[in-house]
Amino acid sequence: MVSKDMLQLGRVRSAIRELFEFGRKRAAVVGEENIYDFSLGNPSVPPPKQLTEEMVGLLNGSDPSALHGYTSAPGANETRDAIAENLNRRFGTDFTRRNLYISCGAAAALTSVLRALTVDGNTEFIAIAPYFPEYGCFASTAGGRLVVVPADTERFQIDFSALERSINARTQGVIINSPNNPSGVIYSEETIRALADLLRKKSAEVGHAIYLISDEPYRELNYTNEPVPFVTNYYDAAIISYSYSKSLSIPGDRIGYVLIPNAMPDFEDVYDAVAGSARIQGYVCAPSLLQKAIARAAQLNLMPDLSSYRKNRDALYEGLNAFGYRCMPPDGAFYLFLEAPGGDGDAFAEAAKDEDILIVSGRSFGCPEYVRIAYCVAYDTIVRAMPGFGRLYRRFCK
Ligand code: PLP
């Protein structure tokens, strides 16, 4: 006998993975170059050269037992110190290693935080559509429940009246993700201020802190001149879940962190509960080699090279607009969220397969009228996919 819930999760692949697998099969038939695969958010730029050099240096130079041995569960001191110093320099904060728990990427950071904050079976976490679909199973396997606030489809910021209506005494946290997967939108400073005000008001009303859980794997993928607001500077009970998967193009290396500021009212409890949660989930510690590499990356302040993503974004956005498609200008991450001509994201994504264009329906992100295009691909893929997008538009908008 096995757990029904786990069986279901293991058997039913996510819509994104499903599409990716379809692409692999199709590529075997029509050739790799004839598949326009915009399904996965796998970075298409290589990791910074300096990071690779640092890793090679570590592998060649260090004492192997230090490089491959366990670190303390929250992460090596040198890594946490280097990250804290980097954040303090950039965001005017005063973090120390005690504010950081190194994790195996954002997924592990989030599951640790959600499990830590789940008080009982009534615990609710709120996500704002469009949202990363894994939040649903992360919240439910933590023992709580995900409540989804419908999207503000005008600007893809936050519909505050809908959010306010969703908050009640069971609400433990609101999850945000900016720059956003799938919309590419960055929450403005005005949005973050209004969100902080609302959460302060509601926390007072319900008599406990409502945590702001900020999922930030795309923080550094920002094409605007405005900084992405750093949430702990706006709200004390804010927890950041960060990942180097996208910013340094190392998603397979599984490294990120949870950041819990001292200003949080029950700081010690939250930090230790995150540690307990990571412990029962068996994370033990994040990969040691990567922890050392990340310490160097933080000291060197390594950042992604945005030039090719920007070029892709511009070509895609301008090309699609020229056909008549509608979408928000994507300011960050590497996704474009397109209003599906005809209003049905499922039907449009399905029809796109006829052109060997693989795009994900917005349904699993909580916006079934949209499709997501991940433009972390070769520039040439975008150029060659354009005629197919044109035919699709004409097919749906006769
Ligand atoms: N959160 C969002 C919004 C994501 O898009 C992803 C990955 O695509 C994750 C979390 C998980 O990131 P990681 O690979 O660091 O676990």
Side-chain angles (χ1 to χ4, degrees):
M1 240 178 8
V2 295
S3 149
K4 280 207 186 86
D5 292 346
M6 294 305 121
L7 186 61
Q8 164 83 0
L9 281 171
R11 286 232 167 116
V12 181
R13 269 200 289 256
S14 77
I16 303 171
R17 284 271 155 197
E18 201 68 60
L19 194 61
F20 176 74
E21 297 304 334
F22 168 85
R24 297 300 82 226
K25 285 196 192 127
R26 217 26 221 147
V29 179
V30 297
E32 196 69 57
E33 68 289 357
N34 296 315
I35 293 290
Y36 311 110
D37 188 349
F38 300 100
S39 62
L40 270 194
N42 212 2
S44 53
V45 304
K49 204 161 157 276
Q50 274 170 296
L51 180 69
T52 315
E53 285 165 4
E54 288 294 335
M55 288 174 78
V56 171
L58 284 165
L59 284 165
N60 286 332
S62 288
D63 162 12
S65 59
L67 203 55
H68 300 291
Y70 295 123
T71 67
S72 72
N77 287 346
E78 62 169 303
T79 307
R80 292 186 293 148
D81 288 346
I83 296 172
E85 280 161 26
N86 178 283
L87 295 173
N88 295 343
R89 270 198 309 275
R90 293 166 58 208
F91 302 111
T93 47
D94 58 355
F95 300 127
T96 68
R97 67 174 75 145
R98 186 68 182 113
N99 300 111
L100 288 155
Y101 196 99
I102 310 299
S103 70
C104 302
L110 281 168
T111 54
S112 302
V113 169
L114 297 183
R115 182 73 184 82
L117 299 181
T118 300
V119 180
D120 57 34
N122 293 322
T123 294
E124 293 180 357
F125 295 100
I126 294 178
I128 294 150
Y131 65 98
F132 183 54
E134 295 296 275
Y135 296 158
C137 63
F138 290 171
S140 59
T141 42
R145 194 167 87 81
L146 192 74
V147 174
V148 177
V149 170
D152 148 28
T153 48
E154 283 292 301
R155 299 189 314 133
F156 284 105
Q157 296 284 318
I158 296 179
D159 177 344
F160 281 105
S161 16
L163 174 59
E164 181 158 13
R165 283 195 300 277
S166 306
I167 298 177
N168 59 54
R170 298 184 297 277
T171 309
Q172 271 284 87
V174 174
I175 309 172
I176 59 168
N177 166 228
S178 164
N180 184 263
N181 171 12
S183 73
V185 162
I186 297 175
Y187 286 164
S188 65
E189 187 177 26
E190 188 194 347
T191 295
I192 297 298
R193 278 193 198 285
L195 179 60
D197 287 345
L198 177 66
L199 294 186
R200 271 189 288 270
K201 179 179 115 178
K202 286 294 187 185
S203 298
E205 265 173 45
V206 299
H208 62 80
I210 297 176
Y211 298 95
L212 175 60
I213 303 159
S214 184
D215 179 24
E216 304 187 356
Y218 303 97
R219 189 203 294 142
E220 268 65 64
L221 275 63
N222 171 5
Y223 309 107
T224 73
N225 296 324
E226 294 297 312
V228 176
F230 195 75
V231 292
T232 63
N233 289 341
Y234 297 83
Y235 188 61
D236 287 347
I239 302 174
I240 292 177
S241 152
Y242 185 80
S243 167
Y244 294 93
S245 293
K246 318 286 173 165
S247 57
L248 296 182
S249 298
I250 51 172
D253 290 343
R254 313 307 305 140
I255 189 109
Y257 58 79
V258 181
L259 178 97
I260 303 163
N262 285 334
M264 180 168 296
D266 41 3
F267 161 73
E268 297 276 344
D269 286 359
V270 174
Y271 189 94
D272 292 346
V274 167
S277 168
R279 177 180 170 192
I280 59 133
Q281 292 181 88
Y283 288 122
V284 184
C285 65
S288 307
L289 167 63
L290 266 295
Q291 290 199 48
K292 287 196 182 296
I294 287 305
R296 289 295 295 141
Q299 283 154 2
L300 295 166
N301 197 29
L302 295 186
M303 288 289 150
D305 174 3
L306 296 182
S307 55
S308 74
Y309 293 143
R310 195 190 296 275
K311 186 173 167 199
N312 285 1
R313 174 192 82 136
D314 292 348
L316 191 61
Y317 182 68
E318 283 156 25
L320 293 174
N321 267 302
F323 289 126
Y325 285 104
R326 287 157 52 103
C327 74
M328 285 298 292
D331 285 338
F334 38 50
Y335 306 104
L336 183 145
F337 209 40
L338 198 67
E339 222 176 291
D344 179 347
D346 291 350
F348 189 77
E350 199 52 39
K353 285 184 184 169
D354 297 345
E355 298 286 349
D356 285 317
I357 292 176
L358 308 185
I359 52 183
V360 184
S361 166
R363 178 174 300 282
S364 47
F365 301 99
C367 293
E369 307 83 9
Y370 289 76
V371 289
R372 185 191 79 170
I373 306 176
Y375 58 81
C376 41
V377 296
Y379 179 68
D380 182 55
T381 304
I382 294 177
V383 174
R384 290 186 307 110
M386 273 302 153
F389 275 113
R391 282 189 293 274
L392 272 171
Y393 187 80
R394 290 189 290 276
R395 186 168 148 192
F396 277 79
C397 300
K398 277 194 233 103

